Amino acid sequence: MQWFALVVSIVVCQLTGAIGAVFTIKAIPTWYAGLRKPSFQPPNSVFGPVWTGLYLLMGIAAWRLWIELPVSSMAFAWFCAQLVLNALWTPLFFGARRIGWSFLEIVVQWIAVVGTVATAFAVDPLAGALLLPLLLWVTFAAVLNGAIWRLNQA
């Protein structure tokens, strides 16, 4: 049962990334290429591997929380909330092309990630540690989103 839970956790997290890829693939060479970006913008080729690795770590962390249910119910709820917010950001930014709204959304997502990390650490320190790269990346992504919004306001 634990291996099944691990596989499901990883697949669900990776599917979140796949949802985002549907929106980014079309927008990156067209709309996104035309946006002004800050000097600290990484190359586009960095995002795919980083997110794939983050989704793997998230899946393992989710699994560790899942097997600790019901003790981890609050951490698992936070995890699910941040995963849904994660899935919503890409269609909002790349699909709807709403840079300002996506910035607001990623700030809420960041709060959910902080809640996830804090509650995960309380239940399973390894799960919390596995989520720290996500917190760092979402922090960076929020700053990047905010900078792109500022640079492209008409």
Side-chain angles (χ1 to χ4, degrees):
M1 178 61 180
Q2 285 193 11
W3 288 108
F4 175 75
L6 175 62
V7 170
V8 168
S9 296
I10 291 171
V11 168
V12 166
C13 289
Q14 292 295 341
L15 284 174
T16 302
I19 290 168
V22 170
F23 294 92
T24 58
I25 288 171
K26 296 175 191 171
I28 286 179
T30 57
W31 172 74
Y32 189 71
L35 293 176
R36 287 179 287 174
K37 297 172 199 76
S39 61
F40 59 88
Q41 163 83 24
N44 291 339
S45 61
V46 168
F47 291 93
V50 167
W51 274 112
T52 301
L54 288 172
Y55 288 127
L56 176 62
L57 295 175
M58 290 165 63
I60 296 168
W63 167 68
R64 293 187 61 88
L65 296 173
W66 184 357
I67 62 175
E68 293 297 327
L69 287 171
V71 173
S72 66
S73 59
M74 182 59 73
F76 198 73
W78 273 110
F79 182 89
C80 292
Q82 70 80 28
L83 190 64
V84 167
L85 289 165
N86 184 302
L88 292 174
W89 182 88
T90 306
L92 189 57
F93 185 90
F94 287 103
R97 300 176 180 179
R98 300 298 219 175
I99 303 170
W101 283 106
S102 64
F103 177 69
L104 177 61
E105 194 277 352
I106 203 168
V107 169
V108 174
Q109 180 185 345
W110 183 87
I111 292 166
V113 172
V114 169
T116 305
V117 171
T119 56
F121 262 114
V123 173
D124 180 351
L126 179 55
L130 289 168
L131 294 168
L132 286 175
L134 174 65
L135 178 58
L136 294 172
W137 187 257
V138 171
T139 301
F140 171 73
V143 171
L144 181 60
N145 188 158
I148 292 171
W149 181 34
R150 184 180 49 81
L151 289 169
N152 289 281
Q153 287 186 6

